[in-house]
Structure formats: C-alpha cells, structure tokens
Amino acid sequence: MTHLYEFARPALTVDIVVFGLDEEDLQVMLIQRDLAPFEGGWALPGGFVRVDETLDDAARRELVEETGLKDIYLEQLYTFGAVERDPRERVVTVAYYALVNLEGHHVQASTDARNAAWFPVSDLPELAFDHQAILDAAHERLRGKVRYQPIGFELLPERFTLRQLQHMYEVILDRELDKRNFRKKVLAMEIVKETKEIEKDVAHRAARLYRFDKRTYDRLTKQGFNFEI
Amino acid sequence: MTHLYEFARPALTVDIVVFGLDEEDLQVMLIQRDLAPFEGGWALPGGFVRVDETLDDAARRELVEETGLKDIYLEQLYTFGAVERDPRERVVTVAYYALVNLEGHHVQASTDARNAAWFPVSDLPELAFDHQAILDAAHERLRGKVRYQPIGFELLPERFTLRQLQHMYEVILDRELDKRNFRKKVLAMEIVKETKEIEKDVAHRAARLYRFDKRTYDRLTKQGFNFEI
C-alpha cells in the first residue's frame, strides 16, 4: 500500500461509554489506568484502532478485552478531535456508547484491564483525558433518544415490572414521573406486553412482569416514535 | 512528540455533505475528481485532517478550499471506517453535513477544486468511494432531525413564504403535506412570525413573508421539539 500523504497523521482510538442500570442509579463502567498519563486514574474502556478492523470491530474488541462484555447494544456516538485532548500526541477518538442490563451480565476486569468497576453517573471520580465530556455527550444522547426510540429497553432484563420500566426512564431523564400517566402511555404504545408471570423472591407484594413486543419494538425503532413523558 | 504505537495507523479524512434547497428539489454539492482513484468521477468535498487542526476546523477548511462556502450550518454526522472503503490504503473518514440557503450563497469551484456543482438528491451521478452511503446517512439524519429540531430553517432565506417552508419539509421528508394542517401546526409552534413584507417580483399573487423567532428557535433547538406533520 502507498501512503497517501507524508505529513504526520493523527492516531485513532475508540472509547466506549458502557451504561448499566441497577435498582438505584444509571451506572457507567470505568477502567483504572496503570500507565501514564493519568496513571491510577479512571477512564473509559478503549484503545487504538487497528489498520485491518472496522471501528465497530475495534469497539467490540476493546470491550471484550477490557471488560469481558460482549453481545451488547453498541452504537457510535461522536468523534472527538480536540487538538490537545491527549498530552502525548494527537489522538482522535471515535466514541461509542453501549447499554447493558446489569442483571444479565457479570462484568469483570479481563486480561488487558487493570481494574474495571461500575460507578453511578451521579457520583463519578475525576476522569482521564476528555472522558467526562464524552460521557456527558453519551448521557445526553441517551436522554434524547429514549424520547423517540425504545432504545432504553436494552437496559432492562427480559421480564420486568412497570415499576422497573418507570425507574429506568426516571434515572435516564433525571426526573420523577407520574405513575398513572406513565403506565397509561406505556401500555398505549403497545410495545410492552403483559406476561402471565409475577416477580419472585421480593419483600414487597409481587408485581406483574412484562416483556417487549419484539415486532412492535423493531417497527418503532425503525420509524422512530414519540414518547413524551 | 512520541509515537504511541509503531504499527500502521489509518489515515483520517473529513467529508462534507452540503445540502442546499431551491424551488425544485433538495440539492447536494459535489466535486469532480481529477486524480485517481475515481478520476473524473463525482465525490463529496473533503480531505485529510491535519495533525494541528480540530475535525470541525478541517471540515470548514475543506469546504472553503473546495467550494468557497463559509459561515454555514455544519454538524458532525458519523464516522465511516469500513476497511476497504478507499482502494489506496486504510482511510477513516469523519463525515459532516452542512445546510445552506441557495438564495444567499454563490457557490463556485475554488482553487483546490476542479469542478464543483449542485445535483438534485433525487438524481445523482455515481459517487466515488462510499460517498453514496454517506450521503444517504446525511439525508436520513436530516429527515429525522426536522421532526424534533427546527434545523431545516437553515435551508431557507431570512424572509420566506409559508409555501417555501412547506416545500422545504416536503422535499426533505419526500412526501406531500396538507396545506391547511401544515400552516396550523407551524403557526402554533410560535417559531415563525409574520412580517409586514410581501414577496416581490413574482408572477403569482405576492404572498406574506415570514421570519423565524430567534429566541423560540434557540429554545426549541436546545430542548428539542416534536413536529409531527
């Protein structure tokens, strides 16, 4: 292969904002760095794009290597290219965000990573590089997207209560929702179907479990919907 | 500066989909290539990102160099990184889209460019590289975005008729809209204000001119709106 131009070219990385939802809060997965710069600091999982892999493949590879996560919802977010964002040299990063149901995935630090852990979005340590800005952009995208795509459902287990569903929207949108209104709107969308099951092993009165209607879900994801709550 | 890693790194470019609106159609600006590959073929304006400029700056610089356009609405779209998208070597491109009012801008091929011209989106020549896919993604983004941000107004002159406004939505969404319903919805949004002026030098009966309410516009752009038409 020829080189198209001789002058210096930026390095290219991917970084991934992995969101997970638990009973309390929206969580994000961070990796503790063991190399300078920001040694010992927390950062988003990510790494360099190889010359023979797509950007999506690079993001998936880094996720597995650094967090053990695979087969999760992953979407390109935005490409960050401020000139001084990495103190070592010019690095442009293609940011992704991923959504994972915390009930279904056991996350551990894999071979590549030093220390991987979940942090609540509302209470984060100082982040390396411009990773706080990347995380803010991902949260903003998520907040916007749940209004017109049923994307947030990726954060829930397969069977869920309407309380869990409402909690998810409240945590992402960062405001309380009226229970009656919420249920009315959700059920009217026909994206959520009642199952015959109820919760198990809970201290409170067991609630009905619901599931997604995959066909309605796919149709709405494609055409967009409007979920003003 | 040290090199972070020794192995080959992808080259990085920007490409810009410039949309313009005329009385007939949604137009896109293309550049005729005078170098291989795709010599003589049509392509989006764009070029390599320099190591000392941001991505936005690179997109703005390339736009001026290749089309003479400046001070127009510009937004990052998506980064395309298929491994074989450039036959010469691995090139990742950060795609942008730009909106320009064709009445207000005289577009000419500048020094860098061979031949620059507007083409209707509905009738394009074969494009170089994966530029058709980039253009499709930009059109899709525009189509989605006019539903929840008043972004399309960038395509109109400062004073416009409601007919022009409706035409813009029809061309972007690629379907006819009901005139009465459209006007009712637009005026209810309070984003469009009547002026005291009417059209000049037109063959048909001169229509009232409207303008944007900048404050409502900024507020709606920020919070998003829902314009189901």
Side-chain angles (χ1 to χ4, degrees):
Chain A
M1 283 204 295
T2 53
H3 250 37
L4 282 176
Y5 58 117
E6 293 306 313
F7 49 89
R9 52 177 70 180
L12 191 66
T13 57
V14 288
D15 285 302
I16 310 105
V17 180
V18 188
F19 287 117
L21 189 74
D22 68 10
E23 289 294 306
E24 296 302 318
D25 210 340
L26 188 65
Q27 310 274 337
V28 67
M29 154 117 333
L30 299 176
I31 304 287
Q32 195 164 27
R33 294 178 56 81
D34 65 354
L35 290 172
F38 306 105
E39 191 180 345
W42 293 90
L44 299 172
F48 291 97
V49 176
R50 296 180 184 160
V51 82
D52 59 353
E53 68 185 351
T54 66
L55 302 169
D56 288 7
D57 286 346
R60 278 190 215 102
R61 178 181 52 72
E62 289 291 343
L63 257 191
V64 171
E65 285 177 7
E66 298 206 328
T67 72
L69 287 168
K70 55 182 156 185
D71 301 327
I72 63 176
Y73 182 91
L74 186 72
E75 186 178 313
Q76 196 189 104
L77 172 66
Y78 196 80
T79 299
F80 292 78
V83 175
E84 307 285 353
R85 54 176 300 281
D86 190 312
R88 294 166 295 184
E89 69 160 318
R90 178 74 192 285
V91 181
V92 169
T93 195
V94 184
Y96 281 77
Y97 73 104
L99 303 177
V100 59
N101 156 32
L102 287 186
E103 274 194 29
H105 289 86
H106 181 61
V107 178
Q108 55 181 64
S110 294
T111 45
D112 253 33
R114 283 51 66 185
N115 190 10
W118 291 102
F119 289 84
V121 169
S122 57
D123 185 20
L124 293 170
E126 198 174 331
L127 299 186
F129 308 104
D130 56 353
H131 287 187
Q132 183 65 54
I134 295 175
L135 200 154
D136 290 344
H139 195 182
E140 183 68 26
R141 173 79 63 94
L142 187 59
R143 216 181 275 130
K145 212 144 186 179
V146 290
R147 290 168 192 267
Y148 62 93
Q149 280 195 1
I151 194 180
F153 291 124
E154 309 281 347
L155 291 164
L156 291 174
E158 205 176 319
R159 304 281 158 119
F160 50 86
T161 65
L162 293 182
R163 182 181 42 75
Q164 284 179 300
L165 185 63
Q166 181 174 341
H167 171 70
M168 180 192 76
Y169 276 98
E170 288 180 333
V171 162
I172 291 175
L173 298 174
D174 198 22
R175 61 183 168 90
E176 280 186 37
L177 301 171
D178 178 73
K179 181 171 159 179
R180 253 182 78 177
N181 261 335
F182 178 83
R183 297 192 171 198
K184 209 171 111 189
K185 282 182 183 172
V186 162
L187 296 174
M189 278 199 308
E190 296 187 343
I191 198 174
V192 159
K193 299 288 182 199
E194 198 175 295
T195 73
K196 291 185 172 160
E197 298 166 53
I198 56 165
E199 281 182 298
K200 280 171 193 149
D201 306 321
V202 286
H204 53 82
R205 192 165 74 90
R208 174 72 55 192
L209 290 175
Y210 290 76
R211 63 171 178 81
F212 309 117
D213 183 313
K214 186 82 175 88
R215 278 178 58 187
T216 312
Y217 180 95
D218 288 344
R219 183 169 53 79
L220 289 180
T221 303
K222 205 167 171 182
Q223 77 184 36
F225 76 147
N226 180 42
F227 188 45
E228 282 303 333
I229 48 178
Chain B
M1 282 206 295
T2 52
H3 250 37
L4 282 175
Y5 58 116
E6 293 308 312
F7 49 87
R9 52 177 68 179
L12 190 67
T13 57
V14 287
D15 285 302
I16 310 106
V17 181
V18 188
F19 288 116
L21 189 74
D22 68 9
E23 289 293 308
E24 295 302 317
D25 209 342
L26 188 64
Q27 309 275 336
V28 66
M29 153 115 337
L30 299 176
I31 304 287
Q32 194 165 27
R33 294 179 56 81
D34 64 355
L35 290 173
F38 306 105
E39 191 180 344
W42 293 91
L44 299 171
F48 291 98
V49 176
R50 296 180 183 159
V51 82
D52 59 353
E53 68 184 353
T54 66
L55 302 169
D56 287 8
D57 287 345
R60 278 191 216 101
R61 177 181 52 73
E62 289 291 344
L63 258 191
V64 170
E65 286 178 7
E66 298 206 328
T67 72
L69 288 167
K70 54 182 154 186
D71 301 327
I72 63 175
Y73 181 91
L74 187 73
E75 186 179 311
Q76 196 189 102
L77 172 67
Y78 195 80
T79 298
F80 292 78
V83 175
E84 306 285 354
R85 55 177 298 283
D86 190 311
R88 294 165 296 183
E89 69 161 317
R90 179 73 192 284
V91 180
V92 169
T93 195
V94 184
Y96 280 78
Y97 73 105
L99 302 178
V100 60
N101 156 33
L102 287 186
E103 274 194 28
H105 289 85
H106 181 61
V107 179
Q108 55 181 64
S110 293
T111 45
D112 253 35
R114 279 55 62 187
N115 190 11
W118 292 102
F119 289 84
V121 169
S122 57
D123 186 20
L124 293 170
E126 197 175 331
L127 299 187
F129 307 104
D130 55 355
H131 288 187
Q132 182 66 54
I134 295 176
L135 200 154
D136 290 345
H139 194 182
E140 183 69 25
R141 174 77 63 92
L142 187 60
R143 216 180 275 128
K145 214 144 185 179
V146 290
R147 290 168 192 267
Y148 61 93
Q149 281 195 0
I151 193 179
F153 292 124
E154 308 282 346
L155 291 165
L156 291 174
E158 207 176 319
R159 304 280 158 120
F160 50 85
T161 65
L162 293 181
R163 182 182 41 75
Q164 282 178 300
L165 186 63
Q166 179 174 343
H167 171 69
M168 180 193 75
Y169 276 98
E170 288 180 333
V171 162
I172 291 175
L173 297 174
D174 197 23
R175 60 183 167 89
E176 280 186 38
L177 301 170
D178 178 72
K179 181 171 159 180
R180 254 183 75 175
N181 260 335
F182 179 82
R183 297 193 170 200
K184 209 171 110 190
K185 281 183 184 173
V186 161
L187 296 174
M189 277 200 308
E190 295 187 344
I191 198 174
V192 160
K193 299 287 181 201
E194 197 174 296
T195 73
K196 290 183 174 160
E197 297 165 54
I198 56 165
E199 281 182 299
K200 280 171 192 148
D201 306 321
V202 287
H204 53 83
R205 192 166 73 90
R208 173 74 53 194
L209 290 175
Y210 290 77
R211 63 171 178 82
F212 309 117
D213 182 314
K214 185 82 176 86
R215 278 178 58 186
T216 312
Y217 180 95
D218 288 344
R219 183 170 54 76
L220 289 179
T221 303
K222 205 168 172 183
Q223 78 183 35
F225 75 150
N226 180 43
F227 188 46
E228 284 302 335
I229 48 180

